[in-house]
Amino acid sequence: MTALDADATSTVAERRCIARSRDGDRTVVLSLPPSGADHDRWVAEATAARHLALPGLVRITELDTSPALPWYGIDYRPLLALPAVLGAHGGPLPEHTVRALGASLASTLALAHAQDVTHAGLSPEAVLLGTQGPRIGCFGAARVAAPDGTVRSGLPWLNAGCLAPEQAYGGRPRPPGDVYALGAVLAYASTGHTVPEFAELPPSLRSPVSRCLSRDAAQRPPASRLAEELGGATAGAPRATVLDVSAPIPLPGKVIAALARQSAALLAADIRHEPRM
């Protein structure tokens, strides 16, 4: 694969680049472990994610478990990580877009939790947005950061604002931790940071986000309830359901334009073909 410039898909939880096969026939998004991560744990999480095949998670199509530099690939389509989406839009997203995003992400988490799977890696950097609906990457980032029983806070590539208190102090990742991370992601999408003041949040998001971010895990709502609540009709937003995880969400025009520019840059990229031996 030949790496291409992919600043719009960079992240701290995973290093990403857009790559193309030497013959130019295939284009993929490659994800690599963050600098300093335990490669064995990262490979274990990537392997588990590859076998999940849950709607709403990135679908891993290939996996290289080489100890020196493991990576996994997903089929390319124009995608932006959530921080790049806010950058393209010029600030926080509209309230109805955030609610639609929240309903989709909550639905994905609800499906995972119903199978006794905890994602343990949701953050703004893990959310990839395109015209075909959001996808979640960075599966198991909290588990990769440190084994259970070890303090996880303070790592430069683990988003502290999205780490539930019980996980930060070494607790085993469980579904309520995913819900906490979802609250932080929605806070980020609607304010630009993961730890907002209550008054900063849009009115319809104050209650659900605040409940997600409760320090008491028992007080956080289940993901399935959040999907129903956030999918309720608001001005400019269609109603979503718990199973409607692949539906597109309303993206602002500047974000759609940024996705188009990414696609155009890829098509225009100069791929040098190397002679076969």
Side-chain angles (χ1 to χ4, degrees):
M1 297 291 176
T2 301
L4 303 178
D5 181 18
D7 288 343
T9 57
S10 64
T11 179
V12 296
E14 286 181 346
R15 293 176 291 163
R16 297 192 188 110
C17 64
I18 301 173
R20 185 176 290 168
S21 60
R22 295 186 191 280
D23 59 13
D25 288 342
R26 294 180 57 246
T27 304
V28 298
V29 178
L30 296 186
S31 292
L32 300 92
S35 179
D38 184 300
H39 284 191
D40 289 340
R41 284 201 298 268
W42 189 87
V43 166
E45 294 299 328
T47 301
R50 186 179 190 183
H51 294 299
L52 278 177
L54 283 175
L57 293 184
V58 295
R59 188 173 296 276
I60 297 175
T61 56
E62 47 197 312
L63 174 65
D64 188 323
T65 60
S66 169
L69 187 63
W71 55 267
Y72 71 77
I74 65 173
D75 290 337
Y76 172 77
R77 59 184 177 85
L79 291 168
L80 293 173
L82 187 56
V85 168
L86 266 65
H89 181 57
L93 297 176
E95 184 174 354
H96 70 276
T97 298
V98 178
R99 284 184 64 92
L101 173 63
S104 181
L105 298 179
S107 296
T108 295
L109 294 178
L111 291 172
H113 297 167
Q115 297 187 27
D116 295 323
V117 172
T118 301
H119 182 274
L122 184 60
S123 68
E125 299 81 12
V127 177
L128 300 175
L129 286 175
T131 57
Q132 299 176 30
R135 297 291 184 272
I136 307 176
C138 304
F139 184 89
R143 291 184 291 260
V144 172
D148 296 347
T150 304
V151 174
R152 297 185 175 96
S153 59
L155 292 175
W157 48 269
L158 197 60
N159 193 314
C162 297
L163 195 61
E166 65 273 15
Q167 292 182 15
Y169 291 107
R172 179 183 178 184
R174 295 187 180 279
D178 284 348
V179 171
Y180 184 96
L182 175 60
V185 166
L186 298 184
Y188 177 86
S190 56
T191 69
H193 50 97
T194 57
V195 189
E197 296 292 336
F198 182 80
E200 292 181 88
L201 294 166
S204 74
L205 290 169
R206 289 173 184 172
S207 176
V209 169
S210 297
R211 285 182 282 126
C212 287
L213 293 177
S214 172
R215 296 188 64 83
D216 182 357
Q219 297 302 312
R220 299 171 203 152
S224 56
R225 186 184 306 163
L226 281 169
E228 294 177 356
E229 180 178 349
L230 293 169
T234 60
R239 184 175 181 83
T241 69
V242 130
L243 297 177
D244 194 17
V245 298
S246 298
I249 67 172
L251 295 176
K254 290 182 179 179
V255 176
I256 295 174
L259 291 166
R261 287 194 298 271
Q262 182 192 97
S263 182
L266 178 64
L267 291 172
D270 179 21
I271 303 297
R272 292 177 176 83
H273 299 284
E274 299 180 11
R276 298 183 183 276
M277 304 299 293

